[in-house]
Amino acid sequence: GNDTHVGPTVVEVHFDLAQMIFIDQKVGIIELNGYLRTHWRDPRLAFDDEAAACYDDVGVTENQSHRLWLPDIYIDNLVHMRLPDVSVTTTRVHSDGRVSHSKLVLIGVKTDVFLGEAPYDSHIGRIVVASYSQTNDKVRVIAQGGVVGYDGKSGIGVRSKPIDSPLWSFAANGDDVANKGFETAGSLAILFGGSWDYVTLSFKYARRPKYFVDQVIRPSILFTLLSNVQFYLPPATAPARAFLSVIPVLIMRLLAQTVYRSLPEGSEQIWVADFVSVSVTLCLFAVIEFAIVQYLHTLEQSRILKYHEFCRAKTSVERLLTSAPQKSI
């Protein structure tokens, strides 16, 4: 294809992940830093390695690379891309005509973020690449080492160096990602009547829940238990019972605001948000119980006071009734 040989040019693509910089959970954007690498074969560039001083490949400078045929690969779910201040783009031509092109990029891509199980949630980061202007009769796009035209997973989609994060875990099946890195398969989908190849380069990542466990879940449990302590205090200790019932509600409300500040404003049910809401509700029940008990206690005290007044009046009436005959009343 492309006037270089018979048949379409096969372009292999993969992404070498260096860092996952930022995740915007509200809009579902992840920022990645790494190398977008493409490989293809151009028979016009083949050379005799013996004649070239036994070099198996030669480097092409960025200023010269525009002389080569380059595939117009684009990222379909790209939100933004930023190149480094100092360009890091390399192109190497091998003696058999194979061309390897690599570019360091910082990209933001749109991906699905489902927070229903947060903070025990896991997600899949996706980079979807395709040819911008050339259909399958000119260019076939596959993951590195993948099978041409195979509608499914094959080849290498994302490769990572040793990588670690205090917020996210990349371990899969017990792999030691922090020391060895990871490698995932690419996935090909042939769309629009079989005319365009869309390759998905994906990797899985999971949240490390320690922050939410320490700062949200455990405090919620403790303050809920604290609000229940007032159940065991005498009704007469109103100030202490009021403190133990009302203060946990205020603290839980502030805690809920902190949690919701980092979550999308939608209708999706989120485990940690539901947990905090239930805790707030239990604390509110404690306040309602405090109010009911205090009302009944006040009513009881009023009746006791009236009873004592009645007893004192009864004593006086009995004394008058006893002395009435003596005084001929």
Side-chain angles (χ1 to χ4, degrees):
N2 309 300
D3 301 324
T4 63
H5 57 279
V6 177
T9 298
V10 178
V11 179
E12 301 181 24
V13 59
H14 75 278
F15 188 77
D16 277 355
L17 178 64
Q19 295 174 312
M20 187 166 70
I21 299 175
F22 174 71
I23 298 178
D24 190 333
Q25 301 177 95
K26 291 189 175 183
V27 295
I29 296 176
I30 59 176
E31 284 192 354
L32 307 171
N33 184 29
Y35 294 88
L36 184 62
R37 306 189 192 273
T38 51
H39 314 270
W40 67 94
R41 187 185 184 96
D42 191 339
R44 299 173 300 178
L45 302 179
F47 61 90
D48 186 352
D49 56 348
E50 294 183 0
C54 297
Y55 282 103
D56 183 56
D57 59 75
V58 294
V60 180
T61 65
E62 188 171 0
N63 293 333
Q64 296 172 329
S65 62
H66 71 278
R67 297 174 178 268
L68 305 178
W69 178 87
L70 299 175
D72 57 347
I73 298 298
Y74 81 106
I75 301 176
D76 187 62
N77 60 332
L78 181 69
V79 177
H80 60 259
M81 175 185 288
R82 181 161 57 87
L83 300 177
D85 296 333
V86 179
S87 178
V88 183
T89 302
T90 59
T91 305
R92 303 200 69 82
V93 179
H94 299 265
S95 60
D96 59 357
R98 289 182 295 113
V99 183
S100 300
H101 182 74
S102 176
K103 179 186 293 186
L104 176 63
V105 294
L106 188 153
I107 58 176
V109 293
K110 188 73 172 69
T111 188
D112 296 328
V113 178
F114 298 105
L115 300 172
E117 297 181 357
Y120 304 101
D121 50 327
S122 60
H123 311 278
I124 297 179
R126 293 182 175 89
I127 305 171
V128 182
V129 298
S131 174
Y132 183 76
S133 63
Q134 295 176 311
T135 56
N136 286 351
D137 59 337
K138 295 291 185 65
V139 172
R140 299 304 303 261
V141 185
I142 60 173
Q144 183 184 15
V147 179
V148 177
Y150 177 70
D151 200 343
K153 290 186 177 182
S154 66
I156 299 173
V158 177
R159 182 186 291 122
S160 168
K161 67 174 186 178
I163 186 173
D164 196 13
S165 168
L167 301 179
W168 304 97
S169 170
F170 301 90
N173 301 322
D175 295 338
D176 187 6
V177 175
N179 296 318
K180 299 179 181 178
F182 65 87
E183 188 175 278
T184 63
S187 178
L188 173 65
I190 306 174
L191 305 179
F192 303 107
S195 299
W196 301 87
D197 289 335
Y198 283 76
V199 178
T200 300
L201 316 175
S202 62
F203 62 95
K204 186 176 181 179
Y205 59 98
R207 188 190 307 272
R208 297 185 186 274
K210 187 176 186 303
Y211 171 81
F212 283 93
V213 171
D214 292 345
Q215 302 299 323
V216 178
I217 296 176
R218 287 177 179 169
S220 296
I221 295 174
L222 291 176
F223 283 113
T224 302
L225 293 176
L226 181 63
S227 68
N228 292 333
V229 170
Q230 56 102 7
F231 295 154
Y232 302 95
L233 297 181
T237 57
R241 298 185 77 244
F243 176 84
L244 291 173
S245 61
V246 175
I247 294 301
V249 173
L250 300 177
I251 295 175
M252 289 300 303
R253 184 54 188 163
L254 292 175
L255 191 61
Q257 291 178 348
T258 302
V259 172
Y260 282 114
R261 195 174 296 125
S262 62
L263 299 177
E265 299 172 356
S267 59
E268 180 183 5
Q269 284 192 309
I270 301 173
W271 188 92
V272 66
D274 291 344
F275 183 87
V276 173
S277 297
V278 171
S279 298
V280 172
T281 303
L282 293 176
C283 291
L284 286 174
F285 283 152
V287 174
I288 294 173
E289 189 271 347
F290 164 74
I292 294 174
V293 169
Q294 285 306 118
Y295 170 75
L296 296 177
H297 177 67
T298 302
L299 188 62
E300 182 182 21
Q301 291 299 111
S302 175
R303 291 177 177 176
I304 291 175
L305 180 61
K306 290 180 180 180
Y307 173 76
H308 287 311
E309 291 176 351
F310 173 78
C311 290
R312 286 196 295 272
K314 179 183 177 182
T315 303
S316 300
V317 170
E318 289 178 346
R319 190 166 51 250
L320 289 174
L321 291 175
T322 303
S323 61
Q326 300 173 355
K327 297 181 179 181
S328 303
I329 297 177

